[in-house]
Amino acid sequence: MGYTVSIIARSEREARIAKSLLSPIGDFDFYEFRSKHSKLPKIRISIDVPVYRMENFRTFTDQAEYITKEKKPSNFFAAGQEVESVQQVQHDMLARLARRGIAGSIVPVIDVLEREKQREPLLITRSGVVVNGNRRLAAMRELFFDEPGQNSELSHVDCAVLPADATAGEIVDIEAGLQAKQETKLAYDWIGDAQLMSRMVELHKDASDVARRLDRGEKEIRNSIQALAEADLYLKEWARAEGEYSRVREEAEQLFKDLPRRLDGKDAALQAASRAIAWTLFDNRERLPGRVYDFNAAFGKLASDVMERVSTELGVSTEVVDKGGAGDDFAVDFEGEDTATSYEAVIELLKDPETKDEAVDALIEASQNAIEAEKGQKSGEAALKAVSQAHAKLMAVDISRATPGTHAAMKKQLEGIEQLARLLVKKIDTYGQEQQ
């Protein structure tokens, strides 16, 4: 059992802080408030006075995970800043972060504080909400609780106090200025980082302004926000695990940052197909011969090829709907007809528990084959390989085992294949004569 949070009422906190401000222990030079140098008053108060700030982007992912797993309302943390039980949950999250470091580069905060005690003041509001230093406060509380004799000086904490008129938006900017710039501090996970960027764009209405404030590129800002939206869509629509960011925190950053570029310029049907391919590959990444990154082309420029291969393997057609209403027209458009393709049948097979295993196998194979075929095109052997694969698949078809209800659709497909084969033979003859 660690430190137990006990909240002091807001009015009492404000009174204690106001009293301490009458005789501050010094000034603190601060450069992240309203883009100018400020001398903030520094005070020393009891360690139980400050409260954790709940709009904390370092703990955003953990907060969302907790809300989901514990079935709490979506505003559990936002509405719980003055609630002891919520502050306790936040403390436990921050204490875990304080014990986390990066081997060879970042030493855990709690180890530094145990050795050096407090070197830099916390930054708080006039009501005692910690704007910067939440992890340090959690670590100091844990250290004082564990060994009050050895850590007696941590019974009180030094705090620099912001002006009374500091706004919620300015506090977000301060967090960004202090924590989110690309430095050697313990980094936010990519979800929290993107959430902070999203919040800042919401506040400032200008991605270029946010990029300037964070010393980052505008493209990076926009891509991170798009990646977060894609991750949210994956969790909600595909994984059925809305808010469970731990599923995408460790290994998914590159995928979700690549995905928006792979979707750019595609129609809605092909975007849905690309997402289904990417999500399936991510879910089954341990079965891939390499990283998901190596399969970017499969859900990028080769997405339609991959889905056609999967549909052929699984015996379903990519439903072609004539925009004039003739929904039964054959899939191949030889006369330039205005058609639209749907991959919903394939996507449903990838989602259905009863057909998922076979469909996933087909998709992984199709992705590998499509990528290999593209590589083969550069060597001049792709066409032969594609024709050989098509021939082998047709040889494996057993009409006697086909459901009678599929005969008509199958006949249309075969007639189309026959017509296409004749066209390809003519092209071979034409190219052969040209080369003689």
Side-chain angles (χ1 to χ4, degrees):
M1 180 178 176
Y3 177 84
T4 299
V5 173
S6 179
I7 289 183
I8 294 172
R10 176 171 178 158
S11 59
E12 175 63 19
R13 295 198 310 267
E14 291 175 343
R16 292 194 192 186
I17 291 169
K19 182 178 180 180
S20 295
L21 286 171
L22 294 175
S23 53
I25 61 174
D27 294 324
F28 180 68
D29 290 311
F30 192 61
Y31 297 87
E32 299 293 345
F33 183 58
R34 296 174 181 167
S35 302
K36 63 181 182 181
H37 173 227
S38 304
K39 280 193 174 293
L40 302 180
K42 188 165 67 171
I43 64 175
R44 188 161 177 77
I45 56 178
S46 174
I47 198 169
D48 60 349
V49 172
V51 294
Y52 301 117
R53 174 169 163 261
M54 292 301 166
E55 190 180 19
N56 185 316
F57 297 96
R58 192 183 294 281
T59 57
F60 171 80
T61 303
D62 290 330
Q63 287 180 348
E65 188 87 359
Y66 182 88
I67 286 171
T68 300
K69 288 188 174 180
E70 301 298 325
K71 296 181 171 54
K72 300 294 184 181
S74 60
N75 67 343
F76 177 77
F77 288 97
Q81 194 151 276
E82 298 294 331
V83 180
E84 280 187 355
S85 59
V86 182
Q87 282 280 327
Q88 184 68 57
V89 174
Q90 184 73 358
H91 169 82
D92 294 341
M93 290 178 181
L94 290 163
R96 285 195 296 273
L97 286 174
R99 291 185 172 90
R100 185 185 303 168
I102 300 176
S105 59
I106 306 298
V107 179
V109 168
I110 198 165
D111 291 350
V112 175
L113 286 165
E114 185 174 25
R115 182 175 64 251
E116 301 178 0
K117 303 304 185 278
Q118 186 180 10
R119 290 290 190 88
E120 184 179 328
L122 307 180
L123 181 66
I124 65 172
T125 67
R126 293 294 175 107
S127 62
V129 178
V130 180
V131 175
N132 185 53
N134 283 274
R135 276 187 308 151
R136 283 182 287 139
L137 176 61
M140 287 187 282
R141 283 174 164 176
E142 287 292 317
L143 289 170
F144 182 66
F145 174 83
D146 287 341
E147 296 189 55
Q150 183 176 332
N151 298 299
S152 59
E153 60 192 277
L154 297 181
S155 63
H156 287 69
V157 291
D158 293 344
C159 302
V161 186
L162 286 167
D165 61 348
T167 67
E170 287 172 333
I171 287 172
V172 172
D173 285 342
I174 289 171
E175 177 176 0
L178 291 173
Q179 299 292 344
K181 289 183 179 178
Q182 294 176 326
E183 299 175 350
T184 57
K185 296 177 181 178
L186 181 62
Y188 286 22
D189 62 56
W190 77 272
I191 297 291
D193 197 44
Q195 184 66 24
L196 174 59
M197 293 181 200
S198 180
R199 181 76 171 95
M200 290 188 71
V201 170
E202 178 186 329
L203 286 170
H204 298 287
K205 314 298 182 186
D206 186 351
S208 62
D209 182 34
V210 173
R212 178 184 59 78
R213 289 169 183 269
L214 297 180
D215 294 336
R216 303 194 193 184
E218 184 177 347
K219 285 185 178 179
E220 180 188 355
I221 301 295
R222 296 187 183 280
N223 182 240
S224 292
I225 294 173
Q226 290 175 323
L228 178 62
E230 289 296 332
D232 283 333
L233 190 63
Y234 161 78
L235 290 172
K236 181 178 180 180
E237 302 294 335
W238 190 261
R240 294 290 188 266
E242 187 174 4
E244 292 185 25
Y245 289 107
S246 61
R247 292 176 179 241
V248 296
R249 177 161 49 189
E250 300 299 333
E251 301 179 51
E253 179 178 3
Q254 190 64 53
L255 170 70
F256 288 109
K257 286 188 174 180
D258 286 341
L259 194 50
R261 292 192 290 272
R262 309 300 167 187
L263 298 174
D264 189 41
K266 294 180 179 177
D267 61 28
L270 200 49
Q271 284 189 354
S274 290
R275 287 189 175 105
I277 295 168
W279 295 344
T280 299
L281 292 173
F282 174 69
D283 284 347
N284 297 276
R285 55 194 178 279
E286 71 284 350
R287 297 169 57 184
L288 302 180
R291 303 170 301 165
V292 177
Y293 176 82
D294 297 329
F295 286 77
N296 274 0
F299 55 86
K301 60 185 177 181
L302 301 177
S304 60
D305 183 9
V306 170
M307 293 304 269
E308 292 294 343
R309 290 169 184 266
V310 176
S311 68
T312 300
E313 177 66 24
L314 299 179
V316 297
S317 64
T318 53
E319 180 187 358
V320 176
V321 182
D322 186 275
K323 292 181 180 177
D328 293 331
D329 286 352
F330 175 62
V332 181
D333 176 20
F334 295 105
E335 305 298 330
E337 296 174 313
D338 194 9
T339 59
T341 304
S342 169
Y343 302 104
E344 283 303 312
V346 178
I347 293 172
E348 286 304 313
L349 291 176
L350 288 167
K351 294 165 65 175
D352 189 334
E354 294 185 2
T355 58
K356 184 176 180 178
D357 288 344
E358 181 184 2
V360 168
D361 288 340
L363 185 137
I364 291 175
E365 181 182 2
S367 297
Q368 291 177 282
N369 289 341
I371 291 171
E372 286 301 317
E374 185 193 32
K375 291 178 181 177
Q377 286 176 355
K378 297 175 183 177
S379 66
E381 298 179 358
L384 174 59
K385 186 174 182 179
V387 170
S388 298
Q389 289 175 339
H391 181 259
K393 289 186 180 296
L394 287 172
M395 288 288 291
V397 173
D398 185 351
I399 301 295
S400 66
R401 301 184 64 180
T403 303
T406 66
H407 287 178
M410 197 166 16
K411 183 178 179 181
K412 284 187 178 181
Q413 291 281 356
L414 290 170
E415 289 171 348
I417 291 169
E418 181 182 18
Q419 187 176 353
L420 181 58
R422 292 182 186 281
L423 288 173
L424 290 173
V425 169
K426 287 182 180 179
K427 286 184 178 181
I428 290 173
D429 291 340
T430 300
Y431 290 142
Q433 292 172 3
E434 291 175 352
Q435 292 174 359
Q436 289 178 355

